[in-house]
Amino acid sequence: MSRRRVGFCLSDKKRRQINLVAFAELCASHSVEVVEVNLSQPLESQGPFAVIVHKLSDVIVKAEYDSQSQQLLDNFQGYVSTHPHTVLLDPLPAMSQLLDRFASYRIMSQLQNSLRDWRISSPPYLEISTSDLSVIQQDVESKGLSFPLICKTRVAHGSCSHDMSLIFSMAGLSEAHPPCVLQSFVNHGAVLHKVFVVGEDHFTVERPSLKNFPPGPYERKTIFFNSHEVSKPESCSHLTALDEEVSRLPPPSGEAMVALVRELRAELGMALFGVDVIVNINTHTLTIIDINIFPGYEGVPQFFSSLLSHIESVLDHQELKVPQATCPSAPSAPQADL
Ligand SMILES: Nc1ncnc2c1ncn2[C@@H]1O[C@H](COP(=O)(O)OP(=O)(O)OP(=O)(O)O)[C@@H](O)[C@H]1O
Ligand SMILES: O=P(O)(O)O[C@H]1[C@H](O)[C@H](O)[C@H](OP(=O)(O)O)[C@@H](OP(=O)(O)O)[C@@H]1O
Ligand SMILES: [Mg+2]
């Protein structure tokens, strides 16, 4: 059995998106064995694994309310804690924090301090846990949020996590249903810059995005939309078509993206993530609006080669660190709970 065995644990949607057979063939030519992990079977008998690449966000979110998903997660965590040399891409605690927009927006907000020289910021936002309208309105006022506001669910993954709304007035805040975040909307000319990170590499891809709106507040009905209607490569709707032509803004500089990705890698401790950046049409400030776990990497033809390169660097590091345990067979002392 190859010492360089890599397990893949993907959601059905992700499995349809990634041609794992083609990736396994590429890996085989580099003496890396790719194995699909069946989460509903004991991992011990499917292992050993030097690395496990996974997107368990579905399971983690469902485990909150579904015992079968909790069982799958326990099965996975049981294997991980008894195989400390198996490297996860990415670690479960790091992934879990990005499932919560309260946590990920705190990270984006803190990044402003270390990226100030690069004129990289993130919009003012509020964590909403109350349905008391007067409290929400006071907080919007006191925290200096500016209308329009974009309202997003606290949970950042799963079926309802992409349903959002644009709120234009204080009265419209009655449609902000907790737990959610309110984030100042930043006019950016309907162009989104998706930064896809794969280990030491990153790739920036332009995407359609929400159009500009006049600064508020003003009486206008709340607009409800799904983010997957506005920022996919083929997205084209009344929400993404500019009402008036604006001069195209220069894209974020390569150096600024290098600085952003370096800070995010250090902060998150992750290898597979995406960050959404827009350019403020008034200040030309680079504005971080979202961080994603293991995104789709659509528009990144180098994804497979970059992923393999990162996996090989992890395997080489393991072989340097623990030569005999690259592909651990004997479980070691259990690790602290995740
Ligand atoms: N503060 C903001 N200012 C302006 N536009 C925004 C802002 N936040 C989000 N948007 C717009 O809404 C879209 C979806 O927002 P966001 O990326 O947070 O949602 P999401 O569901 O996490 O998206 P995905 O998971 O597909 O990246 C963005 O691509 C952008 O077009
Ligand atoms: O267009 P992208 O690659 O950004 O689309 C991603 C999206 O950003 C989110 O990361 C989705 O993940 P969830 O939030 O978990 O739904 C990705 O869905 P996935 O099922 O492919 O992981 C989109 O690809
Ligand atoms: Mg996004």
Side-chain angles (χ1 to χ4, degrees):
M1 186 180 286
S2 158
R3 288 157 52 90
R4 294 152 62 95
R5 287 182 96 240
V6 177
F8 268 75
C9 203
L10 302 173
S11 63
D12 294 343
K13 182 183 165 209
K14 192 60 101 180
R15 193 179 301 108
R16 287 194 300 273
Q17 202 182 58
I18 294 178
N19 182 341
L20 204 51
V21 170
F23 183 66
E25 284 167 5
L26 173 66
C27 289
S29 66
H30 290 246
S31 309
V32 174
E33 182 188 357
V34 167
V35 178
E36 191 152 9
V37 176
N38 180 346
L39 206 51
S40 56
Q41 297 300 320
L43 268 73
E44 195 62 52
S45 56
Q46 302 177 65
F49 301 108
V51 176
I52 297 179
V53 178
H54 70 91
K55 182 162 186 179
L56 287 181
S57 22
D58 275 337
V59 175
I60 297 170
V61 169
K62 281 184 192 159
E64 292 287 314
Y65 55 86
D66 170 64
S67 58
Q68 195 179 2
S69 299
Q70 185 59 58
Q71 186 59 47
L72 296 176
L73 190 55
D74 291 347
N75 179 27
F76 187 83
Q77 290 184 313
Y79 180 84
V80 170
S81 47
T82 50
H83 295 76
H85 298 301
T86 297
V87 173
L88 293 192
L89 299 182
D90 282 302
L92 285 177
M95 179 171 279
S96 298
Q97 69 179 347
L98 293 189
L99 294 176
D100 177 357
R101 285 195 175 97
F102 284 14
S104 61
Y105 282 37
R106 281 178 215 148
I107 291 170
M108 292 180 341
S109 183
Q110 285 155 8
L111 275 178
Q112 297 185 98
N113 303 325
S114 48
L115 293 167
R116 196 173 304 283
D117 295 348
W118 291 98
R119 294 169 53 73
I120 297 176
S121 70
S122 71
Y125 78 98
L126 262 181
E127 299 174 3
I128 304 296
S129 300
T130 175
S131 47
D132 183 328
L133 182 57
S134 60
V135 170
I136 297 174
Q137 290 172 336
Q138 281 159 25
D139 284 351
V140 165
E141 195 86 52
S142 63
K143 292 287 174 37
L145 271 65
S146 51
F147 289 98
L149 298 177
I150 187 163
C151 183
K152 310 176 188 180
T153 55
R154 175 174 183 174
V155 177
H157 168 80
S159 53
C160 305
S161 64
H162 304 294
D163 291 330
M164 311 194 155
S165 61
L166 281 171
I167 296 173
F168 298 92
S169 68
M170 283 293 187
L173 291 172
S174 61
E175 294 175 292
H177 304 301
C180 62
V181 291
L182 290 172
Q183 194 184 46
S184 292
F185 184 89
V186 173
N187 279 332
H188 56 283
V191 175
L192 172 75
H193 302 278
K194 273 203 170 294
V195 184
F196 291 119
V197 177
V198 189
E200 298 309 302
D201 297 332
H202 68 274
F203 309 89
T204 302
V205 174
E206 270 191 21
R207 287 280 183 82
S209 192
L210 285 177
K211 67 182 181 182
N212 298 329
F213 288 89
Y218 43 83
E219 288 314 308
R220 178 171 181 174
K221 285 179 74 175
T222 298
I223 294 175
F224 296 91
F225 68 99
N226 184 292
S227 64
H228 285 180
E229 292 160 7
V230 296
S231 292
K232 291 301 178 192
E234 68 286 351
S235 295
C236 178
S237 76
H238 68 286
L239 287 179
T240 58
L242 286 167
D243 295 327
E244 74 293 321
E245 274 314 303
V246 290
S247 50
R248 201 159 175 79
L249 292 163
S253 74
E255 297 81 3
M257 292 300 95
V258 167
L260 169 60
V261 169
R262 182 177 53 237
E263 288 297 323
L264 264 175
R265 259 199 216 99
E267 177 60 35
L268 299 174
M270 294 173 74
L272 302 174
F273 62 92
V275 52
D276 294 346
V277 178
I278 56 179
V279 182
N280 182 317
I281 60 167
N282 299 312
T283 64
H284 290 196
T285 305
L286 305 185
T287 307
I288 311 168
I289 55 171
D290 180 32
I291 309 175
N292 291 305
I293 301 161
F294 200 158
Y297 295 97
E298 196 170 349
V300 181
Q302 308 91 329
F303 174 57
F304 275 5
S305 53
S306 282
L307 180 56
L308 172 56
S309 167
H310 182 66
I311 288 171
E312 287 185 294
S313 68
V314 170
L315 293 170
D316 295 345
H317 184 66
Q318 277 179 327
E319 281 159 12
L320 282 176
K321 227 176 37 170
V322 193
Q324 77 288 358
T326 296
C327 218
S329 45
S332 313
Q335 220 175 19
D337 276 351
L338 291 165

